[in-house]
Amino acid sequence: MLLLLNLSVVLGLAPWLVHSLASTDSPSDADPAQSGYLPNHNMDPSIISSPIFGVLWQNTFLPKEKWYAKPLVYTPNGAKQLVFLASEQNWIRTMDAVNGTVINQRQVQPPFLQSDIGCTDIPDYIGITGTPVIDPATDTVYFFSKGYRGGGAIGVENGIYKMYAVDIKDLTDRPGFPILIDGHNADNDPTRYFVGGTVLQRPALTLISGIVYAGFGGHCDKYNYTGMLLGVSTTPGVGVVTLYAMEASPHAPPVVSDINIQQGGKAGIWMGGMAPATDGSRLFIVTGNGQGHENVDTPASGRAPLSTLDEVVANFAIGPGGKLTLADYFEPYEYIGMDAGDRDLGSGGTALLDPTVFKGTNGISRIAVTIGKNGKAYIMNAENLGGFKLGPGATDNVIQTIVAPGSVFGGPGSYPLEGGFIYFTPTGSPLLVYALGLDLNGSPLFSKVGQSADNSAGRVGVGVPTVTTNKGQPGSGIVWVTDVDAGLKAYHAVPDTNGSLIKINLPPTGGINKFQRPAFGDGRLYYTDNNNHVVCLGSPVALPLNCSNPVVFGDLAVGSAVTALVNCTTLIPITKLNGVTTSSSTYQVSNASLPQGALAQGATFSFPVTWNLTQESLSDAQNASFGAVTPGVKSGSLIIFTTNGIPKFSTSYPLALQGSTVSAQPFLKLEPAEVDFGGIVINGSGAASGLDATFIIDNLGLLALTISGYAYTLDLDPSVEYTNVTSGGNISIIGPGFTASDLPAVGTIVPPGSSVTVPIKFNSDVVGNYHNILFVYSDGGNRNVLMTGSASTVPIANISTETSEGGWDPSAVMDFGQVIAGTTVKRRIRLCNSGGSVLLITKSKPPIQPELRAESPLSDLHEGQFIPVDSCAFGLVDISAAPTIPNQPSHAVFDTWTLNTDDLTFGVHDVPISATIVPRQLGPLKSDGTSQYQYLGCYFDGGGRQLQKQFNLGNSNENGICQQTCLANGYMFAGTEYHVQCWCGNTPPSALRYQPPSANKCTFGCANDTTQACGGDGTFISIYYDTTKGYTPDCNAIPCPSDSSTTTSTTTSTTTSSTSVVTSSTSASGDVSTTSVTPSASPTATGPIVNPGNSEYGSIGCFGDGVTKSINPNTKYANDSMTVEICLQFCKSKGTTYAGVEFRRECYCGNALAADAVQNSPGCTLTCFSNATEFCGGSKKMNVYQKVVASSGSTTTTVASTTDIATSTTSLTDTATTSPADTATTTLSTTDIVTTTDLTSSATTTTTITSDTTASTPPSPSSTSSASTATATAGFFYAGCIAEAPTGRAMVKIIANDSMSIEFCISAARAKLPATTYRYIGVEYGRECYGATAPVASQTSLVGNKACTMPCMGNTSQMCGGRIMYNFYVSATVTFSGTTPPPTSTTGTVAPTP
């Protein structure tokens, strides 16, 4: 119904007159708005992706007959659905849409000969090129046909265009038609008139209120032509009602009568075959390069008159009688450079997007999108296209510009469901998809969210993306793209979570004619291929063969040939192989090489295919509208025709042919074709040095190439003078404002297959737009590259933060104050630009803590974001205070959002952000407002009560009342259980009954307040303790962190110090070793601390960077998983003396401190990205660690610092060995003193660790024993080489890094504590580290000389898995029993060392 409604509006008809249009018809090119979305064709993805979807029929007609006009699908009144075809030979046909039977056909006039025009855009014949349009009110089809005057004498001067109107039921002419177009004068310039021989009617037609509108361009920009937009009445006898010239007096070139003089102004309308877009009362077209530049370089309103419409998106109002007048336009600021370099904006049309979805909340009600050869997608306000140079810095006044990786021919497509998407396909690139979003000002913006895995053809002709759904159902979207080499391709319209457009497997179709879209009917689609076939795909169908596909030839020099073999198997009995055709005469197959006679099902056969380039020569059509022809990847198709022994199987089987051509002679190529420097800011950061870029001089030939010269020009017009490139030293002037350094000297020889990269620069201190075309001359051809740039005044950045009252604080300090646990508060950072050019965010490091984070860290105030003049960008910060159990201490959260811009006066801004998270305080309160009873934990209360006295408070029970009750009765501990119970006691609960918070055991709501927890199901109790009774929780009540806890004894005291001392002593003997740990301090930090280091590096304080980094020279490693331990392990792998962490995520390693580094500097206040409990430097501030120097047998190292001292004493009396028994017991006596002003407790603990672990542990690199040992690596035992699961990962990725080692992986796993406890780790692919918290199920051990053979990239003496296999390690805390033993391998056969 949507399509019917659109057409009724467009055609100006009452809805009841559109009686004959079926819902699944396609009476025009896509939809009238050219959005490319077609919901009503019953295209079900589940059917299309199944084997039953395939070729239903295909027809072939006359030799050399081709179709560039798309098929139309239509159901006449009282008849069945049919397909209408119009060819370049001027034949029109109707066929049964279901079975392909021809119903009617006729040739309307002899076609124009391509040989007369000398342009190879369309080969052989030129007849009906623009896609026709059907009027469903009258069953009439309209089209333009090119031929000769009187059907006789040939030649450009005799070429004409006629508009036909035929009855689609019998293909007879309607009365009053055809109408001759030639000789009509332009409404806006009567001196210009229509000459059919010099123009091409390429765009599809648009029908509005009884007027057929058509656009006309040129043939390869030859001859004296002017782009024109024409309107012809469908009423007999009326004829042409409007003709608008894209180039007109007084600013277009004067009219001349000689058609061979290129002075018509050009500005052709061809749009890659798309139709003018309409919403019923206006037309949108896009033009190509032209010769008239009325605007020159002066900004102009799009609503003002403009006589030279080259490189514009134009909105034409439709007046009385169908007359066209220019209502609005957009012209890119670099349009003169685009004109000069043939970078047509008009290589694609305009898509008017669905206004119910694609809109803003800031007044933008309809969006228009276009993209062309300059590779820029312009997102425009359809109600105000943008004029010329009205944007920031005198650039484009559009909503958004998206820079594509290449030129686009044919324009964009869209999908309005599931949030809204647009698509386009640059030549030789993937299909790109962008999703609609809104910024904080409500302006619509598109973000790239995915792309296809495969690339489009590396040549011109990829079709316009078109999206179908199954009856408009979300989730059923399919985006279709035609490819001149690969054929028809389809993808699910919405990318997956990895940003991939999932391809739908279709039957091989072979290459399709350029700029096509498939036409859709009722569950069927239709297309014409470049092998002269008209094809219908649908269901059901089956293929008769299965052959090796694609056929790959490899590299082939022009002038030579290569042969490949095709292997096939029959899927059904085949009566006969009728022959083979190929897409090009260069692909050669002899039918005699095919098997003769019948073939049984399952029979196999082979035949050769030759790619023969012996008769070919290289050509270059760089200035043609279809682009350059150069060596490179080529593709084609081959089709096998069969007579089948079983009906309803396809009688053809297509294969893809692939290879790469190379030149036997030198061949010059310049890459890229256009270098857009963007804008330079006068007196800005790039003013002194200019803007840098490069282009590449390639030799794609098999012989050496000699460079013979350089020249530049501002225009490709042959009459324009060229200026030779001049050089001074190594600097060459290659145009006004453009220079090149190290330009290869004339006479330079570029070897075969080699290239030279040339640095180029743009600079100017004068406001304006610049362009230049540089030519390179050689014995391998002459090529050029277009360069563009602009200059404007500096941007000015201003930053402020939102206050609680909604105002803005220019001090840029964001203090949220107290935030109640369980609530979220949001505020914004605002960055504004009050300067004269676009402001660029050059650095952005947003906060990403769990409770303090940027809401959209990847999109808000992101690095590389541009802020227009007089505009602002915003970054939203959330304080998401996690819900907590009452009566816990408040805790502060702090972080910064670091920002910098290309405003040289702005500098680095560390915006401080802070808040205090306040849990609810219940029960008796102390004078400071905190509760007297603090939360201790959740405990199992079965099999013996933890607290002795019960008070049944019933429905009044909640934690505060229970605590009041226990206090009144003299009890230290208060606990709530089973909603209504209150328990009191004076004996601490047992650590053996403690339940960690992650277990979620205490989840019952209190009877009087369900937001509080009062115990849990299965006899669990929530316990609090009185902080005024002298009790301090210890390891008797809460398990202390350790690798094991078989036996524990603890004594407690209190100490405070500003010195950090680390002392360790280790002894081991015999087969049994026992470990005892005696710490003199058990810290409970209330906030982030300075990590004192480890046994190999000790902290020496915070250093401020000078001109260089504090560690200089250095090796840098940056990662969002950064912790101090990861950095120390990285520097250990580099063997450096110093390690330093800075800016939350950066690690520096080196052997010297910079002379200007400032020791004891304040400012190391940023927490590590992956561990918020420790500091990782600050902005230009570095936490530095120095290596502990070891000596033989024992080590004593003291690193002096005014703030930190780390001392390590180690005594080694023996080497730990493995007992033959399954139980290994290790004893370690260690004393650790780590104290700061925040650490106030000291404890002595003795722990005996027993690990019942059977594991195959790798021998050291020097070991000659074949027996595996059970030596632990950093507390982890080796458990063999394990095969990765065939689908998915058995463990989660922790980190990937080129410094990977076993120790590095273990350190990265431990850095996730306390949030995640990884007890199982695996190393894979030499650089990847994975972890698991629970046993990994269904593991398969691998043994032999191919198992886990990839060395660790950070320690080649260790093995780090392999392809789809990993070396597996298990924590010493894990005890295996029952049916979950660790995987083992045959002793001595799997060695994780090389």
Side-chain angles (χ1 to χ4, degrees):
M1 192 61 202
L2 175 62
L3 184 59
L4 291 174
L5 179 60
N6 285 344
L7 282 173
S8 66
V9 172
V10 170
L11 300 176
L13 304 171
W16 60 85
L17 292 180
V18 196
H19 57 271
S20 62
L21 183 64
S23 63
T24 59
D25 284 349
S26 294
S28 62
D29 175 34
D31 58 314
Q34 295 293 286
S35 72
Y37 175 56
L38 305 173
N40 297 323
H41 297 282
N42 300 323
M43 304 306 292
D44 188 339
S46 64
I47 294 177
I48 293 167
S49 60
S50 72
I52 66 172
F53 186 84
V55 177
L56 292 180
W57 54 261
Q58 68 178 27
N59 289 339
T60 303
F61 297 102
L62 301 176
K64 296 186 177 181
E65 188 174 19
K66 292 187 179 296
W67 296 267
Y68 290 99
K70 305 171 186 69
L72 299 178
V73 184
Y74 181 67
T75 307
N77 187 32
K80 57 186 176 180
Q81 195 171 62
L82 54 79
V83 175
F84 176 83
L85 280 179
S87 78
E88 292 297 335
Q89 292 191 13
N90 279 331
W91 279 88
I92 57 174
R93 296 179 179 89
T94 54
M95 295 170 291
D96 188 299
V98 176
N99 56 37
T101 301
V102 175
I103 301 172
N104 289 295
Q105 60 182 331
R106 67 176 275 221
Q107 187 181 38
V108 296
Q109 67 170 333
F112 187 89
L113 299 179
Q114 176 266 329
S115 57
D116 276 351
I117 205 75
C119 170
T120 59
D121 273 356
I122 299 175
D124 303 318
Y125 306 99
I126 303 171
I128 304 168
T129 307
T131 302
V133 63
I134 298 172
D135 183 354
T138 60
D139 288 342
T140 303
V141 58
Y142 299 93
F143 54 89
F144 287 82
S145 168
K146 186 164 185 170
Y148 293 102
R149 194 178 308 276
I154 63 175
V156 175
E157 65 277 11
N158 292 311
I160 60 167
Y161 261 104
K162 296 178 181 179
M163 193 189 91
Y164 285 79
V166 302
D167 186 335
I168 199 167
K169 294 188 293 295
D170 58 13
L171 301 185
T172 58
D173 291 332
R174 293 295 189 187
F177 293 90
I179 295 173
L180 179 67
I181 308 302
D182 287 67
H184 285 84
N185 299 87
D187 300 336
N188 57 326
D189 187 351
T191 65
R192 299 177 190 275
Y193 54 90
F194 190 95
V195 180
T198 64
V199 295
L200 174 66
Q201 200 285 295
R202 187 65 182 90
L205 307 184
T206 299
L207 175 61
I208 305 176
S209 300
I211 307 295
V212 177
Y213 293 97
F216 290 81
H219 291 279
C220 296
D221 281 344
K222 290 177 173 286
Y223 300 100
N224 181 17
Y225 85 91
T226 303
M228 291 188 173
L229 185 58
L230 171 74
V232 181
S233 174
T234 60
T235 302
V238 176
V240 175
V241 297
T242 188
L243 181 64
Y244 201 101
M246 298 300 104
E247 295 279 334
S249 301
H251 296 94
V255 174
V256 296
S257 58
D258 189 341
I259 64 173
N260 293 296
I261 297 176
Q262 295 187 32
Q263 200 169 312
K266 303 185 179 181
I269 307 170
W270 63 286
M271 304 192 301
M274 290 179 67
T278 183
D279 57 5
S281 61
R282 51 187 177 172
L283 280 177
F284 290 79
I285 56 96
V286 192
T287 64
N289 53 284
Q291 297 171 315
H293 301 148
E294 178 181 352
N295 282 331
V296 189
D297 201 31
T298 303
S301 168
R303 307 294 172 82
L306 182 67
S307 62
T308 57
L309 296 175
D310 46 297
E311 309 285 16
V312 303
V313 179
N315 168 11
F316 284 91
I318 301 174
K323 285 285 185 181
L324 296 174
T325 55
L326 180 65
D328 192 12
Y329 72 90
F330 161 70
E331 189 170 52
Y333 77 88
E334 71 270 38
Y335 83 101
I336 296 178
M338 292 167 61
D339 275 348
D342 190 26
R343 309 294 286 172
D344 286 13
L345 179 63
S347 67
T350 298
L352 293 176
L353 307 185
D354 186 338
T356 65
V357 175
F358 298 96
K359 59 183 179 179
T361 59
N362 60 345
I364 297 175
S365 59
R366 185 145 203 179
I367 295 174
V369 182
T370 195
I371 183 169
K373 285 167 77 173
N374 67 341
K376 292 182 179 180
Y378 298 99
I379 315 299
M380 300 164 287
N381 183 350
E383 311 303 332
N384 181 10
L385 291 176
F388 174 63
K389 292 188 68 175
L390 297 181
T395 55
D396 298 325
N397 182 31
V398 294
I399 299 171
Q400 184 182 9
T401 301
I402 300 173
V403 179
S407 297
V408 174
F409 297 77
S414 70
Y415 178 47
L417 305 184
E418 301 181 67
F421 300 84
I422 60 173
Y423 310 81
F424 48 85
T425 312
T427 301
S429 298
L431 170 65
L432 306 178
V433 53
Y434 292 78
L436 175 67
L438 297 177
D439 66 13
L440 293 178
N441 297 313
S443 180
L445 294 175
F446 290 91
S447 303
K448 183 182 176 185
V449 293
Q451 64 184 47
S452 63
D454 55 341
N455 289 337
S456 66
R459 60 189 178 101
V460 172
V462 178
V464 185
T466 305
V467 180
T468 62
T469 54
N470 187 23
K471 299 180 175 67
Q473 298 174 3
S476 67
I478 301 175
V479 56
W480 305 83
V481 179
T482 60
D483 191 290
V484 288
D485 291 333
L488 183 63
K489 298 191 288 187
Y491 308 85
H492 291 285
V494 178
D496 66 11
T497 55
N498 296 318
S500 296
L501 285 169
I502 303 303
K503 192 172 185 178
I504 298 173
N505 292 324
L506 298 176
T509 60
I512 294 178
N513 288 325
K514 61 183 180 180
F515 310 135
Q516 294 294 298
R517 334 173 180 248
F520 296 92
D522 186 5
R524 295 176 293 271
L525 64 85
Y526 309 85
Y527 65 89
T528 58
D529 66 18
N530 48 29
N531 289 306
N532 304 343
H533 296 131
V534 181
V535 185
C536 171
L537 293 183
S539 175
V541 77
L543 296 173
L545 298 171
N546 182 25
C547 299
S548 49
N549 193 16
V551 180
V552 180
F553 292 100
D555 293 338
L556 179 63
V558 176
S560 58
V562 65
T563 299
L565 197 65
V566 178
N567 300 307
C568 297
T569 302
T570 61
L571 301 178
I572 61 170
I574 294 179
T575 304
K576 183 182 179 181
L577 295 177
N578 297 318
V580 175
T581 63
T582 61
S583 58
S584 168
S585 60
T586 59
Y587 300 113
Q588 298 172 353
V589 180
S590 172
N591 287 335
S593 66
L594 298 175
Q596 304 300 310
L599 296 172
Q601 181 176 346
T604 61
F605 64 92
S606 302
F607 63 92
V609 182
T610 299
W611 189 16
N612 188 348
L613 300 181
T614 57
Q615 303 301 313
E616 302 298 314
S617 61
L618 291 168
S619 62
D620 177 23
Q622 181 168 330
N623 295 323
S625 63
F626 54 84
V629 178
T630 61
V633 177
K634 304 298 179 184
S635 59
S637 61
L638 176 153
I639 300 177
I640 306 171
F641 296 94
T642 65
T643 297
N644 300 326
I646 298 177
K648 297 185 178 181
F649 278 76
S650 175
T651 57
S652 65
Y653 183 85
L655 295 90
L657 306 175
Q658 297 178 357
S660 296
T661 58
V662 294
S663 172
Q665 303 297 319
F667 193 95
L668 174 65
K669 182 181 181 182
L670 302 184
E671 298 180 286
E674 176 181 355
V675 179
D676 183 2
F677 286 89
I680 191 169
V681 177
I682 299 173
N683 298 323
S685 59
S689 59
L691 299 175
D692 295 315
T694 62
F695 73 92
I696 300 173
I697 300 175
D698 274 321
N699 177 12
L700 301 183
L702 296 179
L703 295 180
L705 177 146
T706 302
I707 296 174
S708 57
Y710 304 94
Y712 63 86
T713 180
L714 300 181
D715 202 318
L716 289 178
D717 192 311
S719 63
V720 176
E721 293 185 0
Y722 289 70
T723 303
N724 289 328
V725 170
T726 58
S727 301
N730 70 331
I731 303 299
S732 302
I733 298 173
I734 57 175
F738 301 93
T739 58
S741 57
D742 299 320
L743 189 68
V746 173
T748 295
I749 296 175
V750 181
S754 299
S755 63
V756 178
T757 300
V758 181
I760 53 178
K761 186 182 295 293
F762 168 69
N763 205 348
S764 177
D765 58 1
V766 178
V767 173
N769 291 322
Y770 297 78
H771 76 274
N772 177 62
I773 303 169
L774 174 67
F775 279 81
V776 180
Y777 302 94
S778 76
D779 60 354
N782 307 323
R783 306 288 185 271
N784 66 65
V785 57
L786 170 66
M787 303 172 193
T788 59
S790 66
S792 57
T793 56
V794 297
I796 300 174
N798 298 288
I799 193 168
S800 56
T801 54
E802 191 174 19
T803 66
S804 59
E805 295 82 14
W808 296 96
D809 179 4
S811 68
V813 174
M814 184 176 285
D815 184 3
F816 284 83
Q818 291 189 345
V819 178
I820 303 300
T823 63
T824 298
V825 182
K826 301 181 181 183
R827 293 185 195 169
R828 294 176 293 171
I829 297 174
R830 182 178 68 178
L831 186 59
C832 297
N833 177 16
S834 60
S837 60
V838 172
L839 179 72
L840 172 65
I841 299 177
T842 58
K843 176 177 284 188
S844 179
K845 305 297 180 184
I848 55 170
Q849 296 182 25
E851 293 184 300
L852 189 165
R853 61 183 298 110
E855 185 168 275
S856 302
L858 301 180
S859 58
D860 286 359
L861 300 180
H862 61 83
E863 291 181 4
Q865 180 174 345
F866 290 98
I867 303 176
V869 173
D870 297 329
S871 298
C872 298
F874 300 86
L876 190 60
V877 178
D878 291 356
I879 301 295
S880 297
T884 60
I885 296 173
N887 294 13
Q888 296 190 86
S890 299
H891 64 279
V893 291
F894 173 83
D895 212 330
T896 61
W897 192 322
T898 302
L899 291 162
N900 200 0
T901 71
D902 60 350
D903 175 359
L904 298 182
T905 65
F906 185 71
V908 176
H909 277 61
D910 291 319
V911 180
I913 308 167
S914 59
T916 300
I917 310 300
V918 182
R920 286 190 297 173
Q921 302 296 307
L922 306 174
L925 301 179
K926 295 188 290 187
S927 59
D928 61 0
T930 62
S931 176
Q932 183 172 324
Y933 280 78
Q934 290 294 299
Y935 183 66
L936 185 60
C938 177
Y939 292 82
F940 178 64
D941 204 30
R945 293 289 182 179
Q946 297 301 298
L947 304 179
Q948 294 73 42
K949 180 63 176 178
Q950 180 184 6
F951 293 89
N952 195 345
L953 301 181
N955 291 333
S956 64
N957 189 51
E958 51 92 13
N959 288 291
I961 294 177
C962 180
Q963 292 158 22
Q964 293 279 15
T965 301
C966 293
L967 177 65
N969 288 277
Y971 290 102
M972 180 186 301
F973 297 94
T976 54
E977 187 172 347
Y978 204 74
H979 307 292
V980 296
Q981 297 177 3
C982 174
W983 291 83
C984 306
N986 286 314
T987 302
S990 170
L992 297 175
R993 301 293 187 92
Y994 179 81
Q995 305 298 312
S998 60
N1000 291 322
K1001 293 298 185 181
C1002 290
T1003 57
F1004 275 0
C1006 300
N1008 194 31
D1009 184 354
T1010 57
T1011 65
Q1012 302 177 35
C1014 282
D1017 187 19
T1019 319
F1020 292 94
I1021 185 171
S1022 304
I1023 297 181
Y1024 297 75
Y1025 69 97
D1026 189 339
T1027 58
T1028 66
K1029 302 294 186 181
Y1031 171 75
T1032 301
D1034 54 31
C1035 295
N1036 288 315
I1038 300 176
C1040 292
S1042 65
D1043 285 340
S1044 181
S1045 55
T1046 304
T1047 61
T1048 303
S1049 63
T1050 305
T1051 60
T1052 302
S1053 62
T1054 302
T1055 181
T1056 302
S1057 175
S1058 61
T1059 302
S1060 298
V1061 180
V1062 180
T1063 305
S1064 64
S1065 176
T1066 304
S1067 64
S1069 61
D1071 293 331
V1072 178
S1073 58
T1074 304
T1075 301
S1076 299
V1077 182
T1078 309
S1080 58
S1082 179
T1084 56
T1086 60
I1089 64 170
V1090 175
N1091 188 321
N1094 57 23
S1095 61
E1096 293 163 323
Y1097 287 88
S1099 171
I1100 60 174
C1102 179
F1103 285 69
D1105 294 341
V1107 177
T1108 64
K1109 293 297 180 184
S1110 295
I1111 298 175
N1112 187 56
N1114 62 65
T1115 299
K1116 179 182 177 181
Y1117 163 56
N1119 193 282
D1120 287 347
S1121 297
M1122 186 58 65
T1123 65
V1124 171
E1125 183 64 23
I1126 285 178
C1127 181
L1128 299 184
Q1129 290 294 332
F1130 176 77
C1131 294
K1132 175 186 175 183
S1133 72
K1134 300 299 179 184
T1136 60
T1137 302
Y1138 295 96
V1141 284
E1142 183 171 315
F1143 218 74
R1144 306 188 66 197
R1145 65 185 304 274
E1146 300 171 359
C1147 173
Y1148 297 87
C1149 309
N1151 292 313
L1153 297 175
D1156 58 352
V1158 180
Q1159 191 174 11
N1160 302 326
S1161 176
C1164 289
T1165 58
L1166 298 183
T1167 57
C1168 302
F1169 248 171
S1170 196
N1171 187 353
T1173 66
E1174 62 184 11
F1175 291 115
C1176 274
S1179 176
K1180 296 185 178 181
K1181 307 292 182 180
M1182 184 182 296
N1183 287 106
V1184 179
Y1185 296 80
Q1186 185 174 351
K1187 192 171 186 178
V1188 176
V1189 181
S1191 61
S1192 177
S1194 64
T1195 301
T1196 302
T1197 302
T1198 302
V1199 182
S1201 170
T1202 58
T1203 57
D1204 298 284
I1205 299 177
T1207 303
S1208 175
T1209 303
T1210 305
S1211 177
L1212 302 177
T1213 61
D1214 202 352
T1215 302
T1217 61
T1218 303
S1219 167
D1222 289 340
T1223 301
T1225 305
T1226 304
T1227 301
L1228 173 68
S1229 178
T1230 305
T1231 301
D1232 294 317
I1233 303 175
V1234 184
T1235 59
T1236 69
T1237 56
D1238 292 329
L1239 310 182
T1240 58
S1241 65
S1242 175
T1244 301
T1245 304
T1246 302
T1247 304
T1248 301
I1249 304 172
T1250 302
S1251 179
D1252 296 326
T1253 304
T1254 302
S1256 172
T1257 302
S1260 66
S1262 60
S1263 174
T1264 59
S1265 172
S1266 63
S1268 298
T1269 66
T1271 303
T1273 301
F1276 279 74
F1277 288 91
Y1278 181 59
C1281 178
I1282 306 299
E1284 185 63 87
T1287 58
R1289 289 280 184 184
M1291 298 183 284
V1292 298
K1293 181 181 283 189
I1294 299 174
I1295 192 172
N1297 190 268
D1298 289 345
S1299 297
M1300 187 57 62
S1301 66
I1302 306 303
E1303 294 82 3
F1304 190 103
C1305 181
I1306 294 171
S1307 296
R1310 286 179 168 172
K1312 301 299 182 180
L1313 291 169
T1316 306
T1317 302
Y1318 290 113
R1319 302 192 185 278
Y1320 308 84
I1321 66 163
V1323 282
E1324 187 171 348
Y1325 281 113
R1327 66 185 304 275
E1328 299 177 1
C1329 171
Y1330 294 85
T1333 60
V1336 180
S1338 302
Q1339 297 194 87
T1340 302
S1341 296
L1342 300 176
V1343 297
N1345 58 10
K1346 294 185 179 180
C1348 293
T1349 58
M1350 190 173 291
C1352 301
M1353 296 183 70
N1355 184 352
T1356 55
S1357 67
Q1358 299 175 336
M1359 302 308 293
C1360 280
R1363 183 178 180 274
I1364 320 180
M1365 61 183 72
Y1366 54 88
N1367 288 104
F1368 191 51
Y1369 289 79
V1370 181
S1371 170
T1373 64
V1374 176
T1375 299
F1376 292 99
S1377 62
T1379 59
T1380 58
T1384 59
S1385 60
T1386 304
T1387 302
T1389 59
V1390 180
T1393 55

